[in-house]
Amino acid sequence: MMQVRKTDKRYSGYPYFKYFVELSQSNEINFHNVRAWCWSTWGASKGFKDWEWHERTPTPHDVCQNSNWCWVDDQFRNRILFKVQADAALFKLYHGA
């Protein structure tokens, strides 16, 4: 079962994002489907490494620097990161996490 968890210093995304959900490719509600839902709900975003770089080095007219969400997808994990509790709560409401 998917579980929304709080971030801390151990997690990518901290301190910018306060919550995350970890997903796998094999889940019925998988990473790519959830990422598409976030994209349609809050708009375009980008992977956390790029997000963090652009947060530290702002680029004019960067439309993908979304303040609500971004993601981590590497060889170890697939996570969706949420900025605040309200964003995580909306995800839980919609996806039954």
Side-chain angles (χ1 to χ4, degrees):
M1 181 173 175
M2 289 184 302
Q3 183 178 3
V4 174
R5 299 174 58 193
K6 287 189 82 159
T7 62
D8 59 34
K9 290 186 236 182
R10 298 173 292 170
Y11 298 101
S12 295
Y14 183 84
Y16 305 106
F17 295 91
K18 304 296 185 198
Y19 297 88
F20 74 92
V21 63
E22 189 144 7
L23 301 154
S24 73
Q25 297 300 334
S26 61
N27 284 354
E28 183 177 319
I29 301 172
N30 71 38
F31 172 73
H32 295 289
N33 291 342
V34 171
R35 188 171 65 177
W37 177 83
C38 291
W39 200 289
S40 68
T41 301
W42 292 293
S45 194
K46 59 183 84 159
F48 179 69
K49 285 185 180 183
D50 291 335
W51 190 97
E52 184 178 37
W53 188 86
H54 284 109
E55 188 69 13
R56 293 179 183 190
T57 312
T59 305
H61 312 294
D62 189 352
V63 297
C64 292
Q65 193 67 14
N66 195 304
S67 63
N68 294 88
W69 76 284
C70 74
W71 67 84
V72 174
D73 63 334
D74 58 28
Q75 64 188 26
F76 304 108
R77 66 197 60 86
N78 292 314
R79 290 182 177 151
I80 303 292
L81 306 173
F82 302 105
K83 183 76 167 187
V84 295
Q85 186 176 15
D87 298 335
L90 183 60
F91 168 83
K92 287 173 64 173
L93 181 66
Y94 189 81
H95 293 287

